Amino acid sequence: MSVVTPNVTQFVSASPSLFRRWFAVFVRMVWKELRVLYPFWFVVMITINGLSGIVVGVMRGDPSFDQNSLATSLMAIAGLFPLLYAIGFGAMSYANEREEGTWDLLRRISAPSSAVCAAKLLMGLSSALLMTSLAWWGMRFYVPASNINAETRLSLWHLMLLVAASVCLSQMSSLLSRSVLWALGLATALCVPLAVFVVCGMESRELAKASPDEIQVLTWSIVVFGVVLVLIQFWLAQRWMLNLRPWSIAPLRTIRLLWNPLCDVGPWQNSPREWQRQL
């Protein structure tokens, strides 16, 4: 009795290239971040427009109406709300992955950390800078540019640089935290002093007396600072994907010995949902 084995044609399926796989993860993460941020973005924009309309209506109804005071109030709205959006959305970007359980999914599919970080950074920067631009030009609709220049030396570019740095710092805080609550607190502690420093620096008289060469050096220093922030964020994203704490490297072992008790025993380790499960 003979056994006949059918001829089976073997099809060899080529695995996708490294770039195609990276791009596929990047596109899916961009779409995921877009679905998360657009309700938050629209709510903040509606708040900016509504509050600006209320301020304009109240101040123009005042007999002692002053165009410069209106410019100051609208500038505070146009600068504060995009900064708060940058801090809030950046703090949710990575810590929210842990709380929702999607971090484990990203690790199981071996998603490239650079693709995840690039998508989150792109969506965070683009949405925050778009909000800043719309808020600033909406303010220009109510207040002439001459009144704005008479009140402050801040311009749209300065505000956009501040918001971009806040997005990077808040996302770095989210990479270092295991819950949105702690990431939000750390991001606030980093971004608020930076905002105060930038505003006070731009309003200082020494900067007005600076030479063009000194302004150029300051501009390049800001650019280098931004590049360093982005590189650190990509490095932290790689360690976040591998579940490695950034202070586990050899030069930071001393800090790690002092920090580990707080991270392993204190509330830093658990998210609010895990606290509810334990109760």
Side-chain angles (χ1 to χ4, degrees):
M1 183 176 180
S2 60
V3 179
V4 180
T5 58
N7 295 327
V8 179
T9 305
Q10 296 182 358
F11 295 94
V12 179
S13 60
S15 59
S17 63
L18 183 62
F19 175 75
R20 289 182 61 185
R21 183 171 176 274
W22 187 95
F23 187 73
V25 174
F26 173 78
V27 171
R28 292 184 181 182
M29 288 301 300
V30 166
W31 177 247
K32 175 182 177 297
E33 293 298 310
L34 182 62
R35 292 179 60 187
V36 172
L37 72 87
Y38 85 86
F40 188 26
W41 191 89
F42 277 109
V43 167
V44 177
M45 282 302 303
I46 291 173
T47 304
I48 292 174
N49 294 328
L51 191 58
S52 299
I54 293 174
V55 169
V56 171
V58 170
M59 295 193 70
R60 286 185 175 177
D62 191 357
S64 59
F65 171 71
D66 185 10
Q67 196 76 17
N68 293 333
S69 301
L70 178 61
T72 303
S73 302
L74 293 182
M75 276 190 297
I77 297 173
L80 180 62
F81 281 91
L83 182 63
L84 294 177
Y85 170 82
I87 294 174
F89 178 73
M92 293 190 301
S93 57
Y94 291 93
N96 201 34
E97 301 283 352
R98 287 183 180 269
E99 292 191 353
E100 293 184 351
T102 52
W103 174 71
D104 294 327
L105 176 62
L106 292 174
R107 295 190 66 198
R108 282 198 297 269
I109 65 175
S110 300
S113 61
S114 58
V116 175
C117 182
K120 290 181 177 294
L121 189 62
L122 174 65
M123 297 308 296
L125 288 176
S126 59
S127 62
L129 295 180
L130 178 61
M131 177 183 293
T132 306
S133 302
L134 292 177
W136 184 270
W137 288 107
M139 175 189 65
R140 292 283 299 271
F141 179 78
Y142 296 107
V143 180
S146 58
N147 296 101
I148 298 175
N149 297 330
E151 287 296 311
T152 181
R153 297 189 184 95
L154 282 173
S155 65
L156 176 60
W157 303 109
H158 302 138
L159 190 58
M160 291 178 72
L161 286 175
L162 175 60
V163 170
S166 300
V167 170
C168 293
L169 288 175
S170 58
Q171 288 192 352
M172 289 168 58
S173 303
S174 185
L175 283 166
L176 295 173
S177 307
R178 298 192 177 187
S179 67
V180 177
L181 181 63
W182 288 101
L184 187 60
L186 182 58
T188 304
L190 292 175
C191 296
V192 171
L194 177 65
V196 173
F197 175 76
V198 170
V199 173
C200 294
M202 291 303 302
E203 297 297 334
S204 63
R205 296 180 179 178
E206 288 76 9
L207 186 62
K209 300 177 182 178
S211 63
D213 293 336
E214 294 175 345
I215 296 295
Q216 186 176 6
V217 170
L218 179 61
T219 303
W220 281 107
S221 301
I222 295 173
V223 171
V224 171
F225 175 70
V227 172
V228 170
L229 282 181
V230 172
L231 293 177
I232 293 176
Q233 183 172 342
F234 273 93
W235 176 73
L236 288 175
Q238 182 183 11
R239 302 187 70 85
W240 174 81
M241 187 66 70
L242 298 175
N243 198 19
L244 296 175
R245 296 175 182 177
W247 46 82
S248 61
I249 60 178
L252 300 178
R253 286 177 181 172
T254 304
I255 301 177
R256 179 188 175 188
L257 293 175
L258 299 175
W259 189 257
N260 271 348
L262 295 177
C263 296
D264 295 335
V265 179
W268 183 288
Q269 182 182 8
N270 299 324
S271 65
R273 294 183 181 179
E274 291 174 348
W275 296 342
Q276 293 176 6
R277 295 193 192 101
Q278 292 177 4
L279 293 176

